[in-house]
Amino acid sequence: MLRRGAALLLGAWLAGSSPLLLADERSDAQKDIRKAQQDIAELEKLIKQIQSEKSAAQKALQDTEKDIGNLEKDIRSLEAEQKKNEREIREFELEKGKLESRRQQQQKLVAVQSRAAYQAGQHEPLRLFFNQQEPALISHNLTYYQYLQQARQQQISQLKATVQQLTELQAAIDQNQQELEQQKVQLQQQQAKLADLRQQRRQQVAELSKKQQGSQQQLASRQQDQKKFNELLAAIEKKLARQAEEERLRRERERQLALQQSQARIRQQQSAGTSPASGPQVSSQFSHPGGNFAQARGKLPWPVDGRLLAGFGSPRSDTRSKWDGVLIQAAEGHQVRAIHPGRVVFADWLRGSGLLVIIDHNDGYLSLYGHNQSLLVNAGDSIKAGQPVATVGNTGGQAQSALYFAIRKQGQATDPGQWCRRQG
């Protein structure tokens, strides 16, 4: 219908365009506009439905990303417990070796004493009594024989105690090894669950991106159709009302407004997005200068090593016009470190920022770290400069792994590049 109307309109213009023909073309154009308006109304209804599904998907994405962060904490805890059990087993093995050596020595001593007692015979006290002539010597030998018997009994008791300790120690080793094996199985199960959750998250993000892309393409197509219909109708109305100055001026204002909107969209499309290759390199390897936050201006380390994808104040591709912080490209899982001592006031998932950490540095200064894979701190924790607070990720709907980093002074965004050291 649009092409047919455009062709007839062009023919009318070339032929002199009779008023009756233009009136028919205006009627056709108005029908096309009404049809486009109906399509736009249906599209708006569809967009609302997609927005509802988007909210549900974002809620599921939020829960999944929280579960991933919690599972990583559990895995680190299990790994620490596993190392502890391994140390205990090594200590038990050392103690077992010492006790085994002691048992062998005691067995030898008991064997020597037992052999001596056997060779002497059970009637040794009587033989000593009848074979001696001097009473004092007899008493002395009997006492010495009693001491030998007591020593032998004591060695036997010590040997029994050592054997009992070895038995108990071996039981402790067996129990620790059993616990260690159970922990290894539990760790493998947790890791498998983490892999499933990560796959689930990727599918959710892919579905969400696909729906967004489809709705945006449909919206752009319908808006383009309506624009063409409006332009056709405006041309017809302008030809019909050439002598009416007021009508001509009104149509001219509509044309200027449409042109300005088109140019604004073109400028926005041209300025959207940044090139990772053009961003400067930043580093977290600088040492903290000390002092309060204001005194450390221009000397603070960056929270992570990487390259700036978006600078402070640069245009954004989403609904927010400019970046109120910076976006640093970094590998997934790398540690994010606090740039200055402070206290954690927020550590949770936030829409648009994913897993986010906010640290209060006193005197109205805050630092923000977003789009993390997992959080390593909780709200209320005291933080030292350089302490890991999160790991780099792409939560909150990001297409690639990067850290959102911002600094606020008295609630106002400020350029992090003015606070952190530049290389070179």
Side-chain angles (χ1 to χ4, degrees):
M1 178 65 73
L2 178 59
R3 293 181 178 178
R4 182 180 63 83
L8 291 175
L9 178 60
L10 179 59
W13 278 98
L14 294 175
S17 63
S18 67
L20 182 59
L21 181 58
L22 286 176
D24 291 340
E25 289 301 315
R26 181 177 61 180
S27 177
D28 290 340
Q30 289 174 339
K31 291 179 181 179
D32 291 337
I33 290 175
R34 286 194 294 270
K35 179 63 169 61
Q37 290 174 342
Q38 292 175 356
D39 292 340
I40 290 175
E42 292 177 0
L43 179 59
E44 290 175 346
K45 182 179 179 181
L46 178 61
I47 290 176
K48 289 182 180 179
Q49 181 180 354
I50 292 176
Q51 289 294 336
S52 177
E53 294 175 357
K54 179 180 177 181
S55 298
Q58 286 177 332
K59 180 61 171 61
L61 176 61
Q62 172 185 348
D63 295 338
T64 300
E65 291 177 341
K66 281 187 174 181
D67 290 340
I68 289 175
N70 292 333
L71 275 177
E72 289 192 345
K73 286 184 178 179
D74 294 340
I75 288 175
R76 286 193 294 271
S77 177
L78 282 174
E79 289 174 342
E81 187 67 21
Q82 181 176 330
K83 291 180 180 178
K84 178 182 177 182
N85 282 343
E86 290 174 347
R87 288 195 302 269
E88 289 180 354
I89 288 175
R90 288 194 297 269
E91 292 174 357
F92 285 159
E93 292 291 347
L94 290 175
E95 184 65 21
K96 179 182 176 181
K98 294 178 181 178
L99 289 175
E100 186 65 26
S101 177
R102 185 188 305 170
R103 182 186 65 81
Q104 293 176 359
Q105 293 177 356
Q106 291 172 346
Q107 280 183 332
K108 291 180 180 178
L109 185 58
V110 169
V112 170
Q113 293 176 346
S114 297
R115 188 163 50 250
Y118 176 80
Q119 292 174 351
Q122 297 180 352
H123 303 291
E124 180 63 15
L126 292 176
R127 187 178 62 82
L128 292 174
F129 180 81
F130 289 111
N131 289 343
Q132 299 296 330
Q133 301 299 325
E134 297 179 7
L137 184 58
I138 294 174
S139 176
H140 173 76
N141 289 337
L142 288 175
T143 301
Y144 176 74
Y145 186 81
Q146 290 175 354
Y147 284 159
L148 289 177
Q149 288 292 95
Q150 291 175 359
R152 187 163 66 91
Q153 292 298 325
Q154 184 178 3
Q155 290 296 333
I156 292 174
S157 299
Q158 290 177 353
L159 176 59
K160 290 181 179 180
T162 301
V163 171
Q164 180 64 27
Q165 289 178 353
L166 280 171
T167 302
E168 294 173 355
L169 187 58
Q170 184 62 48
I173 291 175
D174 293 341
Q175 181 179 356
N176 274 31
Q177 288 179 338
Q178 182 179 2
E179 291 176 355
L180 182 59
E181 291 299 325
Q182 292 175 352
Q183 288 170 349
K184 288 181 179 179
V185 173
Q186 185 179 3
L187 177 58
Q188 292 173 352
Q189 293 174 348
Q190 292 287 75
Q191 289 174 333
K193 185 177 180 181
L194 175 59
D196 291 340
L197 284 174
R198 281 179 172 163
Q199 181 62 26
Q200 177 184 352
R201 176 193 170 280
R202 292 190 182 99
Q203 292 176 353
Q204 290 172 343
V205 172
E207 292 173 359
L208 183 59
S209 300
K210 185 177 180 180
K211 288 183 180 180
Q212 287 178 331
Q213 183 179 6
S215 63
Q216 290 170 354
Q217 290 176 349
Q218 292 180 9
L219 180 60
S221 176
R222 298 302 175 88
Q223 288 176 339
Q224 185 67 20
D225 289 343
Q226 186 183 27
K227 179 182 177 182
K228 291 179 180 179
F229 292 143
N230 287 335
E231 290 174 349
L232 176 60
L233 182 60
I236 294 173
E237 293 291 344
K238 182 179 179 180
K239 184 64 177 179
L240 288 173
R242 182 178 293 276
Q243 293 81 16
E245 182 66 13
E246 181 179 356
E247 185 69 9
R248 185 190 68 79
L249 292 175
R250 185 177 69 84
R251 294 299 178 187
E252 180 65 16
R253 286 196 297 270
E254 291 180 352
R255 188 186 69 81
Q256 291 292 338
L257 179 60
L259 180 60
Q260 291 174 1
Q261 291 175 346
S262 177
Q263 291 175 346
R265 285 195 297 270
I266 292 175
R267 287 194 299 269
Q268 183 178 5
Q269 292 174 356
Q270 292 175 344
S271 62
T274 56
S275 174
S278 63
Q281 188 78 21
V282 297
S283 174
S284 63
Q285 303 305 315
F286 301 114
S287 60
H288 190 274
N292 59 35
F293 197 92
Q295 292 172 338
R297 182 182 180 93
K299 303 175 183 178
L300 292 170
W302 290 88
V304 70
D305 295 336
R307 190 175 296 277
L308 290 182
L309 294 178
F312 179 81
S314 61
R316 297 181 63 115
S317 58
D318 54 15
T319 55
R320 291 169 287 187
S321 59
K322 294 182 179 180
W323 282 95
D324 59 353
V326 297
L327 194 65
I328 305 174
Q329 183 186 34
E332 182 177 349
H334 278 198
Q335 289 185 341
V336 178
R337 301 180 181 276
I339 63 171
H340 188 81
R343 183 175 60 88
V344 178
V345 296
F346 184 88
D348 205 343
W349 194 95
L350 185 66
R351 183 173 180 176
S353 298
L355 290 174
L356 174 68
V357 175
I358 302 178
I359 301 177
D360 179 12
H361 303 293
N362 296 325
D363 301 327
Y365 291 100
L366 300 175
S367 60
L368 295 78
Y369 314 80
H371 300 314
N372 297 296
Q373 179 191 63
S374 65
L375 305 180
L376 306 181
V377 295
N378 300 306
D381 290 349
S382 295
I383 301 300
K384 298 179 181 179
Q387 177 178 341
V389 297
T391 58
V392 177
N394 59 349
T395 60
Q398 285 296 306
Q400 60 180 320
S401 176
L403 172 68
Y404 162 71
F405 172 55
I407 295 177
R408 300 287 179 97
K409 177 183 179 182
Q410 303 295 339
Q412 299 295 321
T414 180
D415 185 3
Q418 301 296 323
W419 292 90
C420 298
R421 288 189 59 178
R422 300 180 181 274
Q423 287 186 317

